[in-house]
């Protein structure tokens, strides 16, 4: 009896394998970016710093999705990132390096349910909300950002709600990348949780309400604080070409054992020439994040930027995050060809208070030592980009940025202008 059953099983195996193969969806990305930077970290032309350099960044991703049933989806993706020809050590996040991180697990999740109605997703995944000013994958960075998370999603035709808890995955060169959830040696015990509600109750606008909570146990003290916010974004196709974004955020709780009370906001208005062949858009923005004018009073007022994608909103040179800053931006975008997009942005930056630090895009690195008597104007930045779709699968991005050093830099040390240029090719399948 066993032989006939074995024979039938072997006969059925090719058909079963073919069925599974039809359910598999592969994805592949290869990205290469050449960068040249001068004075972008020290604003000092008299020094030949390791960060003043020309180098190459490479990223390869290979993934697979399996959907054995309409209510079950499994996704796995690996990633390999490299930095070549640079003077600095190829260690991620040291001296601004993207660094090397040999092939590692970027995504690994299972989703149960219908994502257009009710679903739960568990495992290593991307979290992205709103304009990613607080939570996003930071795709510009070579290794980007993912979370080990559990997320519940509920959706109707006019609104949706996410509830999640997570821990950010930390890049560990030559080791398996882990979050605090998986690393038994971790003492930080990070939990990042949130509720995010988005609606189309007003047909001309997306209206979002959210709350995030971050828990961390650091050597300097325990952090437990909540971030409350709302975002309102207008649809130019329903407003005769006009668009706007208003985002208001507040924070309260404890940061490293001290009381935290902070705020941030973003105001934006623009006009789109929808009927023009080039589809130009002109916009004016103002962003601000609170700072701490008195670091010795036992209270913290510096806004905590959480896990953002800071590269697009505050200048492509990544000199600022959404904390202790004020940023006025004039933006012009156009599409001179169906496969070509161009942008020209001009930023002007101030520190909200010179009693606090100037924080880079990562939210922790300080540009200069604190000088309460310095002028608050940090400088201006000009960004220009050309994005071209060469083929259905191949994109090319070229960009140049110049930073005009302001009075704050002159009052705190060297104040030479800075330059940043790059060329990036991305192949997607």
């Amino acid at each position: 009896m066993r032989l006939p059953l074995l024979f039938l099983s072997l006969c059925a195996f090719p058909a079963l394998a073919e069925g599974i193969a039809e359910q598999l969806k592969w994805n592949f990305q290869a990205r290469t970016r050449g960068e040249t930077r001068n004075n972008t970290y020290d604003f000092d032309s008299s020094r030949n710093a390791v960060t003043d350099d020309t180098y190459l960044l490479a990223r390869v991703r290979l993934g697979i999705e399996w959907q054995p049933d309409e209510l079950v989806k499994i996704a796995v993706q690996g990633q390999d990132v490299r930095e070549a020809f640079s003077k600095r050590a190829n260690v991620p996040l040291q001296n601004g390096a993207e660094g090397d991180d040999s092939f590692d697990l970027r995504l690994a999740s299972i989703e149960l349910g219908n994502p257009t109605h009710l679903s739960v997703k568990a495992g290593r995944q991307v979290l992205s909300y709103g304009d990613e000013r607080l939570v996003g994958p930071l795709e510009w960075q070579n290794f980007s950002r993912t979370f080990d998370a559990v997320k519940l999603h509920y959706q109707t035709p006019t609104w949706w709600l996410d509830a999640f808890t997570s821990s950010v995955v930390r890049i560990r060169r030559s080791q398996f990348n882990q979050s605090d959830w998986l690393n038994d040696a971790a003492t930080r015990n990070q939990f990042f949780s949130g509720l995010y509600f988005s609606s189309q109750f007003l047909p001309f606008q997306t209206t979002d309400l959210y709350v995030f909570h971050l828990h961390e146990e650091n050597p300097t003290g325990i952090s437990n604080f909540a971030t409350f916010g709302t975002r309102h974004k207008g649809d130019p196709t329903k407003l005769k070409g006009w668009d706007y974004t208003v985002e208001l955020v507040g924070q309260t709780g404890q940061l490293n054992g001290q009381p935290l009370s902070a705020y941030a906001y973003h105001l934006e208005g623009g006009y789109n020439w929808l009927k023009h062949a080039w589809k130009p858009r002109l916009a004016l923005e103002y962003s601000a994040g609170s700072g701490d004018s008195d670091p010795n009073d036992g209270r913290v007022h510096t806004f905590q930027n959480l896990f953002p994608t800071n590269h697009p909103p505050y200048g492509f040179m990544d000199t600022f995050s959404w904390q202790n800053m004020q940023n006025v931006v004039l933006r012009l975008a156009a599409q001179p060809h169906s496969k070509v997009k161009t942008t020209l942005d001009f930023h002007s930056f101030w520190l909200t208070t010179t009693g606090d630090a100037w924080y880079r895009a990562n939210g922790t690195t300080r540009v200069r030592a604190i000088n309460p008597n310095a002028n608050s104007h940090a400088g201006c930045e000009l960004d220009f980009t050309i994005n071209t779709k060469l083929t259905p699968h191949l994109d090319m991005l070229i960009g140049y940025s110049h930073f005009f050093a302001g009075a704050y830099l002159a009052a705190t040390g060297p104040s030479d202008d800075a330059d940043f240029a790059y060329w990036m090719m991305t192949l997607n399948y």
Side-chain angles (χ1 to χ4, degrees):
M1 186 67 181
R2 292 181 180 178
L3 287 177
L5 287 174
L6 178 61
F7 177 75
L8 290 174
S9 300
L10 292 174
C11 291
F13 181 77
L16 178 62
E18 183 179 352
I20 293 176
E22 292 176 352
Q23 299 165 352
L24 298 179
K25 183 179 179 181
W26 294 87
N27 57 78
F28 174 79
Q29 182 189 85
R31 190 178 84 173
T32 301
R33 183 168 77 240
E35 294 187 358
T36 181
R37 291 180 178 269
N38 186 43
N39 298 337
T40 58
Y41 288 89
D42 58 8
F43 300 96
D44 187 356
S45 295
S46 67
R47 295 179 61 245
N48 185 20
V50 294
T51 51
D52 298 334
D53 199 5
T54 299
Y55 48 87
L56 192 67
L57 304 172
R59 180 172 84 188
V60 175
R61 290 174 176 172
L62 178 62
I64 187 170
E65 294 180 356
W66 180 34
Q67 192 161 2
D69 183 85
E70 63 180 5
L71 299 180
V72 179
K73 185 177 181 180
I74 299 171
V76 178
Q77 187 184 70
Q79 174 179 267
D80 185 275
V81 298
R82 305 285 170 165
E83 179 174 328
F85 311 116
S86 58
K87 294 185 292 187
R88 61 194 179 189
N90 293 343
V91 180
L93 305 178
Q94 288 191 15
N95 287 319
E98 302 274 355
D100 295 343
D101 184 39
S102 54
F103 200 80
D104 210 318
L105 186 66
R106 178 174 179 264
L107 302 173
S109 66
I110 180 170
E111 186 174 23
L112 304 176
N114 183 352
T116 63
H117 182 53
L118 177 63
S119 65
V120 61
K121 188 175 185 179
R124 188 159 296 184
Q125 58 190 281
V126 169
L127 295 178
S128 172
Y129 292 105
D131 293 323
E132 300 182 357
R133 294 180 184 275
L134 294 173
V135 184
L138 189 54
E139 277 296 324
W140 175 260
Q141 199 169 52
N142 226 21
F143 44 80
S144 72
R145 178 190 295 123
T146 57
F147 297 80
D148 289 333
V150 178
K151 180 177 70 175
L152 178 68
H153 177 78
Y154 182 77
Q155 183 171 326
T156 75
T158 57
W159 61 271
W160 58 264
L161 173 68
D162 274 3
F164 69 87
T165 186
S166 69
S167 183
V168 71
V169 177
R170 307 181 81 174
I171 303 301
R172 294 149 53 92
R173 188 187 185 198
S174 302
Q175 299 182 58
F176 179 64
N177 296 334
Q178 296 179 338
S179 69
D180 289 1
W181 287 8
L182 300 181
N183 186 1
D184 293 336
T187 58
R188 188 179 58 169
N189 295 322
Q190 180 194 80
F191 277 83
F192 177 57
S193 308
L195 292 171
Y196 199 99
F197 173 82
S198 182
S199 77
Q200 296 288 335
F201 292 148
L202 298 176
F204 56 86
Q205 164 183 295
T206 298
T207 304
D208 298 345
L209 299 170
Y210 55 82
V211 58
F212 302 122
H213 180 267
L214 181 63
H215 170 86
E216 291 183 349
E217 300 170 14
N218 298 308
T220 52
I222 294 177
S223 294
N224 265 312
F225 64 88
T227 302
F228 301 89
T230 181
R231 171 179 166 270
H232 308 266
K233 194 175 186 71
D235 183 349
T237 64
K238 299 177 181 178
L239 293 169
K240 298 182 179 181
W242 293 97
D243 68 66
Y244 59 86
T245 302
V246 176
E247 188 159 5
L248 309 173
V249 194
Q251 288 180 331
T252 183
Q254 278 198 328
L255 181 71
N256 295 325
Q258 293 185 323
L260 169 68
S261 177
Y263 67 86
Y265 57 90
H266 171 75
L267 309 173
E268 175 182 349
Y271 184 77
N272 302 261
W273 284 265
L274 300 175
K275 295 182 180 180
H276 192 283
W278 286 27
K279 295 180 174 60
R281 177 181 184 262
L282 182 65
L284 182 66
E285 302 179 12
Y286 178 69
S287 300
S290 63
D292 194 341
S293 59
D294 186 357
N296 300 314
D297 65 357
R299 297 178 179 274
V300 181
H301 298 290
T302 306
F303 184 74
Q304 304 303 299
N305 206 180
L306 299 180
F307 306 100
T309 299
N310 275 339
H311 184 70
Y314 314 122
F316 293 155
M317 297 180 78
D318 296 328
T319 57
F320 269 91
S321 58
W322 203 15
Q323 50 192 147
N324 193 35
M325 61 88 84
Q326 298 179 43
N327 178 27
V328 176
V329 193
L330 183 64
R331 298 188 189 273
L332 176 63
Q335 193 171 339
H337 186 275
S338 61
K339 297 181 180 180
V340 179
K341 296 180 180 180
T342 63
T343 65
L344 181 66
D345 303 335
F346 184 78
H347 299 255
S348 190
F349 298 101
W350 289 263
L351 273 64
T352 300
T353 171
T354 55
D356 199 351
W358 170 354
Y359 299 94
R360 290 193 176 274
N362 61 15
T364 56
T365 304
R366 300 183 177 194
V367 175
R368 291 284 165 85
I370 296 174
N371 183 346
N373 299 317
N375 187 292
S376 64
H377 187 242
C380 299
E381 180 175 328
L382 182 68
D383 298 325
F384 176 66
T385 68
I386 302 175
N387 197 336
T388 306
K389 196 163 194 63
L390 300 176
T391 74
H393 299 285
L394 183 63
D395 295 338
M396 180 177 70
L397 175 65
I398 298 173
Y400 170 74
S401 299
H402 183 85
F403 194 95
F404 302 88
Y408 179 84
L409 287 168
T412 56
S415 56
D416 295 310
D417 288 1
D419 295 280
F420 173 45
Y422 51 91
W423 168 80
M424 184 167 74
M425 302 289 288
T426 306
L427 180 68
N428 283 303
Y429 279 96

